[in-house]
Amino acid sequence: MLSRLLKEHQSKQTERKELQERRRKEAIAAATALTEALVDHLNVGVAQAYVNQRKLDHEVKTLQVQAGQFAKQTAQWISMVEGFNQALKEIGDVENWARSIEMDMRTIATALEYVHKGQLQAS
C-alpha cells in the first residue's frame, strides 16, 4: 500500500510537473506573441514617422527652391520698378526742361513782336 501511494504521489507529481512545464511553455509563447505584437505596433508607428519625415524633407527642399525662385523674381521686379522710377524722373526732368524752353521761347517771341511792332510804328 505504501508503494502504491508512493507511485501515485510520483505519478501526480510528474503530472503536475508536466502541467507546469506545459503552462510555462504556453506563458513563454504568449509573452513572445505579445512582445512581437508590441514591436510590430511600434514599428508601424516608427515607419509612419519615417515616411512623414521624408515627406517633410521633400517639402522643405521644394519650399527652399521656390523661395529662391521667388527671391530672384522679386529682385527682378525691384530692378524693373527702380528702372521705371528712374525713367519717370527723366521724363519729369525733360518735361521741366521743355517748360523752361517754352517759357524762354515765349519770352523771345514776345520780345520779337514788341520789336517788330516798334519798327512798324517808327516807319
Side-chain angles (χ1 to χ4, degrees):
M1 174 159 182
L2 196 53
S3 77
R4 187 175 53 93
L5 284 176
L6 180 63
K7 284 182 183 180
E8 282 180 18
H9 174 69
Q10 287 176 344
S11 172
K12 285 183 182 181
Q13 198 172 16
T14 303
E15 284 178 20
R16 281 190 209 130
K17 283 182 182 180
E18 288 174 0
L19 180 62
Q20 188 176 10
E21 183 64 23
R22 190 170 16 107
R23 287 182 179 166
R24 186 182 69 80
K25 287 180 181 179
E26 287 173 358
I28 289 172
T32 301
L34 175 64
T35 303
E36 287 176 358
L38 289 173
V39 168
D40 288 345
H41 179 71
L42 289 175
N43 283 342
V44 167
V46 169
Q48 185 62 43
Y50 177 73
V51 168
N52 290 343
Q53 183 63 41
R54 286 188 60 197
K55 286 179 183 177
L56 285 173
D57 289 344
H58 177 70
E59 290 295 325
V60 165
K61 287 178 184 176
T62 302
L63 185 59
Q64 286 174 337
V65 168
Q66 289 176 348
Q69 290 172 346
F70 181 69
K72 286 179 185 176
Q73 189 175 24
T74 302
Q76 289 174 346
W77 288 344
I78 288 171
S79 176
M80 288 173 57
V81 168
E82 288 174 352
F84 182 69
N85 283 340
Q86 185 62 33
L88 285 177
K89 286 179 185 177
E90 290 173 4
I91 288 172
D93 291 344
V94 169
E95 186 179 357
N96 287 336
W97 175 79
R99 279 191 198 136
S100 176
I101 294 295
E102 184 181 3
M103 292 293 280
D104 290 347
M105 294 300 286
R106 284 188 181 165
T107 303
I108 291 170
T110 303
L112 286 174
E113 281 180 29
Y114 181 72
V115 168
H116 182 61
K117 283 183 184 178
Q119 286 180 352
L120 285 179
Q121 288 176 0
S123 315

